[in-house]
Amino acid sequence: MLQVVPVFFGATFLIFALVYAVPGDPIDALAGARPISPAVRAELRARYHLDDPLFVRYGKYLSGLAHGDFGQSFRGEDVATIMRRRFPVTVRLGLLAFAFEAVLGIAAGALAGLRRRSLADSAVLVSTTVVVAIPVFVLGYAAQLLLGVKLHWFPVAGQEEGLRSYLLPAMVLGSLSLCYVARLTRASLGEVMRADYIRTARAKGFSERRVVGVHALRNSLIPVVTFLGVDLGSLLAGAVITEGIFNLPGVGQAVFGAVKTQEYPVVVGIVTALVLVFIAANLAVDVLYAVLDPRIRYD
Amino acid sequence: MGRQSRSGSIAGRRLALIAALAIVGSACGGGSDKGGRAAEGAVRGGGFSLSIGEPEHLLPAATTDNNGQQVLSALFTGLVRYDPSTSEPRNAMAESMTSPDQQTWTIKIKPGWTFHNGEPVTAGSYVDAWNFAAYAPNGNGNASYFSKVEGYEDVQRSPPRAREMRGLAVVDETTFTVGLREPFSQFPLTLGFQAFYPMPKSGLADPKGFEQQPVGNGPYLMDGPWRHDEAITLKRFPAYKGLAASADAVRLRLYTNDETRLRDLQAGTLDIATSLPENELPAIKAEFGHRFVERDSSGFNYLGLPVYQPAFAKKELRQALSMAIDRPAIIKAIFNGSKQAAGSVVSPLVPGSRADACSACHFDPVKARALLAQAGGWSGPLQLWFAGGSRNDEHMEAIANQLRQNLGITDISFQTPEFAELLSSVKAHKVTGPFRLNWLMDYPSPQAYLEPLFTSGSSGNRPGYSNPRVDQLVADGNRAPSLEAGIKAYQAAEDIILDDMPVIPLWFGKTYAAHSKRVDHVVLDPLSLIRIEDVVVAG
């Protein structure tokens, strides 16, 4: 758990320095082509500490943070409010995508792995290859046009229909990882099925269901779980494109917009929270190893 | 006047529709008609949805973006509003605006109006709102719109020397006076812009809270607080004193992505989509037919020339560059015809604009080469500057190719910083070649282009251009005895500018909307905003 501290300071400072290094006056970006009066510009620059050197700015940010103040966006909105509003959207989307890729991915992978060279195996191999080759935004727009606009199976965009609105975006978001999960499971299971202890289990006269379910699948899931753990973090961070296409107001869109307008409090706040999620996910993976493989122990 | 035929046809349809609605309205008895709307249309009830983006602010003094502008246009009624087809100002809350010398204006407002919370709209509501907007420590983006009011420099000093501009004075409940620093014939025309809306006392006391659910004096009021990144819901203000809005309720859905709005419209889950994706325009036009609405926008796209650089000091060179660019070809090939080639620096939707004022904006490679030779030719590299990552690459590439081909300038390269960085470089006079920018007017007057962009030392004058005769003619126009009388002087100033060519006019933008079969009478106004209160829900 102690690794959280250096990661937190490292991440916040790095993001801070990166946003600071972006050239140009963010107040100009805010005002667009319209001229802004010099006194108002000075007022806004002072309000958002834009004239302070990097370390002073970072110090002010940290001291605010110590008092529970995440800073303000350039529109004067509290970053804490923005995060409270946007994180649930991304978490809902991310978890749904995660469930989609984990359940379907492992199922498809197991099916293919157990029935090598069967029709099902070929179907999984071909379909995953195709999906991996398609960029997410193409997949997103195509799914939206076909399943939303033409067939009316899913809402086109927005979140007005509650969880139903999240189904299609979650499938799009999870589709790429689903392919990796399926292929990983297939390869890993294929290897495990040839292992000695599977032969032993069979020799003991266990039912095939028990051999596969308890002995083979559990062991073959270790690389898959590692991948899923890392992927949970990247699902949250990588939702920018999907959120944009389906008009879901999550953190991805917020970070994207904030980087463009150099709103460092927004960027730093959200990305730091994402880093913490990433650390937590990796921690969960470590714990899961022990559950899956009794040989792994943490003392 | 350079208005396009297309807007004429909109106006024609509008008239036919108004006639039809008037008949329907009278047939229904017109019981709910509060303000004698029969002349404009009828109150038909119903609800519809419109796509916009998340506004940056919903505070009239701070709103500089189009999305916020669209919301505020339904929540507030200013002193004047612009005729959607002619762009001319019409009194809205103003009873009269008069001045003997174009410098001291007496503004009378209509009595009996209230804000959505019941507070009466008085002369003080205007004066207080304007002082709030101009006071520098409030950090309002629209402060500079009051720069012509006497006493502006005192509230903009740091630290400020006054809290209020001495030019503003309340005479009685419905009358106030505005003293300007110098005569300004276009002043009444500027007052339709949101910076000049009145504010209720509660809003001035707590502007941050106010923004979450603004209280205005317009045809619609907020039905619940602003749901950020999702929706803003409006309902009809029953005590509205102007022409009542046609629909009962409006849902403004907030989008980040242009394609997504279109998909929602196509699926029938959205009624009006604006900001349509440019590359799909031909298909949208074909799909929506008469439900596709098109209008000139005020957007003026130009290549600014750093006239302070010796290489760009000769006007023959600047004209040569301009005449080597085949605007219609680029518009056709790259923009799908969604722009209009510029023959002036004033948008065609502005009264007093001329479609073909610029002789050096015609494509004429022979003359261009002659002019270049006259200017002593071009040697060395030419750098073109534009904001990266904003879909400018294609047409800048085309412009570069035409300059190569038609003028023989071989060494052309691009500088593509982010927009904010580009603007900072331009302002600091650090750009080394032509830079691509655009300009949106705030009110439909030639002055809204000429003074900020081309007078000496003005804030929007990016090329660093200065010509005393232009300054004088613009001042003459400002001093003219009426709105219309100023136009002659402005046109004379524009002629000189187009001959000097500190900027190469490229094209004017257009705005588009498409709508579902459920709604009709979808009109884009001169500020590229949908007239929300005029939209009629058909079924």
Side-chain angles (χ1 to χ4, degrees), chain B residues 449-511:
Chain B
Y449 292 84
L450 303 177
E451 186 161 334
L453 290 178
F454 301 107
T455 55
S456 305
S458 170
S459 54
N461 185 341
R462 309 299 187 201
Y465 170 70
S466 175
N467 185 332
R469 280 171 59 217
V470 169
D471 297 348
Q472 186 56 49
L473 283 166
V474 171
D476 288 349
N478 291 350
R479 213 174 291 123
S482 71
L483 272 176
E484 299 72 26
I487 285 178
K488 237 187 143 88
Y490 292 137
Q491 288 180 343
E494 191 187 9
D495 287 337
I496 299 174
I497 293 164
L498 288 169
D499 185 56
D500 282 347
M501 202 152 273
V503 309
I504 298 174
L506 293 175
W507 37 76
F508 293 104
K510 292 185 186 183
T511 43

Side-chain angles (χ1 to χ4, degrees), chain B residues 350-373:
Chain B
V350 176
S353 66
R354 296 162 297 166
D356 203 14
C358 174
S359 55
C361 296
H362 293 281
F363 177 53
D364 188 343
V366 177
K367 188 137 187 243
R369 275 192 294 274
L371 281 164
L372 183 65

Side-chain angles (χ1 to χ4, degrees), chain B residues 322-342 361-365 394-399 401-403 405-406 506-507:
Chain B
S322 173
M323 297 188 86
I325 299 171
D326 185 355
R327 295 165 180 79
I330 295 178
I331 291 170
K332 191 159 174 258
I334 291 168
F335 294 110
N336 280 320
S338 67
K339 305 276 175 207
Q340 191 182 0
C361 296
H362 293 281
F363 177 53
D364 188 343
E394 270 187 272
H395 70 254
M396 290 304 292
E397 191 74 55
I399 287 174
N401 280 336
Q402 292 185 347
L403 295 180
Q405 212 164 24
N406 301 325
L506 293 175
W507 37 76

Side-chain angles (χ1 to χ4, degrees), chain B residues 306-309 423-432 435 461-465:
Chain B
V307 295
Y308 45 83
Q309 300 248 353
L423 214 53
S424 303
S425 306
V426 167
K427 275 196 234 171
H429 285 194
K430 279 190 192 139
V431 286
T432 49
F435 48 92
N461 185 341
R462 309 299 187 201
Y465 170 70

Side-chain angles (χ1 to χ4, degrees), chain A residues 75-120:
Chain A
R75 319 190 303 192
E77 206 181 354
D78 284 332
V79 174
T81 315
I82 296 177
M83 297 208 302
R84 253 202 305 282
R85 189 171 69 230
R86 286 180 173 264
F87 258 106
V89 173
T90 303
V91 166
R92 234 170 282 157
L93 177 66
L95 286 183
L96 210 57
F98 184 75
F100 172 71
E101 70 174 68
V103 173
L104 268 183
I106 292 175
L111 186 73
L114 291 173
R115 308 217 198 299
R116 289 261 176 162
R117 296 193 173 65
S118 68
L119 193 67

